[in-house]
Amino acid sequence: MVHYQARLDTTFAALSDVTRRGVLEQLGGSDASISDLAQRFHMTLTGMKKHVSILEQAGLVSTEKVGRVRTCKLGQRRLEEEAAWIEQHRQLWSARFDALDELVEHLKRKEKADAQRKRR
Amino acid sequence: MVHYQARLDTTFAALSDVTRRGVLEQLGGSDASISDLAQRFHMTLTGMKKHVSILEQAGLVSTEKVGRVRTCKLGQRRLEEEAAWIEQHRQLWSARFDALDELVEHLKRKEKADAQRKRR
DNA sequence: CTTACAGTGAACCACATGGTTCACTATCAA
DNA sequence: TTGATAGTGAACCATGTGGTTCACTGTAAG
C-alpha cells in the first residue's frame, strides 16, 4: 500500500509533461526508436532518452535494444490505478456538489415557503 | 487548445504529490482551514499554504478567507479532462495489446497448421 | 490594551527537472 | 578499414519544488 502512493506519484509526474504525453500518443500509433522520437519532438537524443527512461520507470513504456537502435513501445501498465483514483475522486466531487445542489434546492423551497407564510 | 495541454501539465503535476492527493481526499470529506490541514499532515502553515495554492491554481480547490481563517473546499474542476485523457489512452493501450493478442493467436494457428502439414 | 492566533510573504536550503554539450562505445555499411 | 549512425553517460546550467524559519499583518478574545 506504500508502493501504491509512490506509484501514483511517479506516474502522475510522468504524465505532467507535454512531451512525454506526446510520446505516449506517438507510441499508441506505432513503435519508434529514440532517434525517431527525438526528431519528432525537436530534441537531442540525450534529452529524449531521459524522457523515455522516465516513462519506462513509470512502467508506461517498455524498450528493447537490438543492434544499435532501441525500440520503444507502450508498456505493460495501462493506467488502471490512475483511472481508478481519478474516478473515485470524481465521485467524491459529485457527492459534494450534489449535496450543494440539494442545499440550494432546500433553500429555494424554504424561500418559497417563507414567501407564502409572509403573504398570509 | 494550447491551454488544454498547459492545464493537463499543471493538474497532473498537482496530483503527483502524495500530500496534495491527501488534501483532496480530506476535503472530499469536509471543508478545512489551512491550520487543520497543516496539523493533519504534520507540516508548517506556510508549507500547507503552498500546497493549497498549487491545488487552487489547478482549479481543484477553492478557498475563501473570512476573519482570520481561510476555508478550503473542493473546487470547480472535476478532473473531466484528465479522466478523458486517461480513458482515451487506455483505449490506445488496449488496441495495441489486442493487436498483439491477435498476432499471437495467428501464430498459434499457423504453428498448428505447420505441424499438421509436417505430419502428412 | 494586550495577548494569542491564523495566515502571509520573503528568504533560504537541498534536491529534482528539463534541457544542453561533449566525449565515448558499439554497430552497421561501403 | 574507415566512416557514418544510434545511443549512452557525465557534467553542467537555469529553473522549479517541497520544505523550513523568521518577521509581519490582521483578527479575535480577555
Side-chain angles (χ1 to χ4, degrees):
Chain A
M1 296 301 155
V2 178
H3 286 96
Y4 170 69
Q5 292 294 341
R7 185 100 98 167
L8 287 184
D9 274 20
T10 61
T11 312
F12 280 132
L15 294 179
S16 74
D17 182 277
V18 66
T19 300
R20 287 193 291 264
R21 287 196 305 275
V23 167
L24 289 180
E25 208 134 343
Q26 175 74 21
L27 296 182
S30 64
D31 299 353
S33 69
I34 305 276
S35 297
D36 293 339
L37 296 171
Q39 189 171 11
R40 184 112 191 350
F41 292 92
H42 316 97
M43 197 174 297
T44 58
L45 278 181
T46 313
M48 181 51 70
K49 175 73 189 331
K50 282 192 181 183
H51 281 305
V52 168
S53 296
I54 289 172
L55 287 167
E56 201 172 6
Q57 186 72 23
L60 300 175
V61 158
S62 74
T63 73
E64 191 192 9
K65 189 168 183 178
V66 34
R68 48 180 178 173
V69 25
R70 176 175 297 279
T71 302
C72 312
K73 57 184 166 193
L74 289 185
Q76 295 307 307
R77 298 203 56 230
R78 304 191 197 191
L79 296 173
E80 284 98 350
E81 291 172 331
E82 293 69 25
W85 191 92
I86 286 195
E87 274 315 312
Q88 181 186 336
H89 287 78
R90 279 165 53 73
Q91 285 174 22
L92 271 185
W93 248 263
S94 297
R96 297 289 288 167
F97 282 105
D98 288 353
L100 181 62
D101 289 346
E102 273 184 33
L103 176 61
V104 170
E105 281 308 308
H106 175 71
L107 290 177
K108 275 188 187 167
R109 282 194 298 274
K110 185 165 176 295
E111 184 183 284
K112 208 171 180 179
D114 285 353
Q116 288 185 343
R117 205 172 304 124
K118 213 173 203 171
R119 232 175 283 131
R120 266 184 246 132
Chain B
M1 296 302 153
V2 177
H3 287 97
Y4 170 71
Q5 293 294 341
R7 184 106 95 166
L8 286 183
D9 274 20
T10 59
T11 311
F12 280 133
L15 293 180
S16 75
D17 181 277
V18 67
T19 301
R20 287 192 292 264
R21 288 196 304 277
V23 167
L24 289 180
E25 207 133 344
Q26 174 75 22
L27 295 183
S30 62
D31 299 353
S33 69
I34 304 278
S35 297
D36 293 340
L37 295 171
Q39 189 171 11
R40 183 112 191 348
F41 293 91
H42 315 98
M43 197 173 297
T44 57
L45 278 182
T46 314
M48 181 50 70
K49 175 73 188 335
K50 283 194 181 181
H51 281 305
V52 168
S53 296
I54 289 172
L55 289 167
E56 201 172 7
Q57 187 70 23
L60 300 175
V61 157
S62 74
T63 72
E64 191 193 7
K65 189 169 180 179
V66 34
R68 50 182 177 176
V69 24
R70 177 175 298 279
T71 301
C72 312
K73 57 185 167 192
L74 290 184
Q76 296 306 308
R77 299 201 57 228
R78 304 191 198 191
L79 297 172
E80 283 100 350
E81 292 171 331
E82 292 70 25
W85 190 93
I86 286 193
E87 273 316 311
Q88 179 186 336
H89 288 77
R90 277 165 54 74
Q91 285 174 23
L92 272 183
W93 248 264
S94 296
R96 299 288 289 167
F97 282 106
D98 288 353
L100 181 62
D101 290 347
E102 272 184 33
L103 176 61
V104 171
E105 281 308 307
H106 174 72
L107 289 176
K108 275 187 186 167
R109 282 194 299 272
K110 185 166 179 293
E111 183 183 285
K112 206 170 179 180
D114 285 354
Q116 287 184 347
R117 205 172 303 124
K118 211 171 201 171
R119 231 175 284 130
R120 264 183 249 135

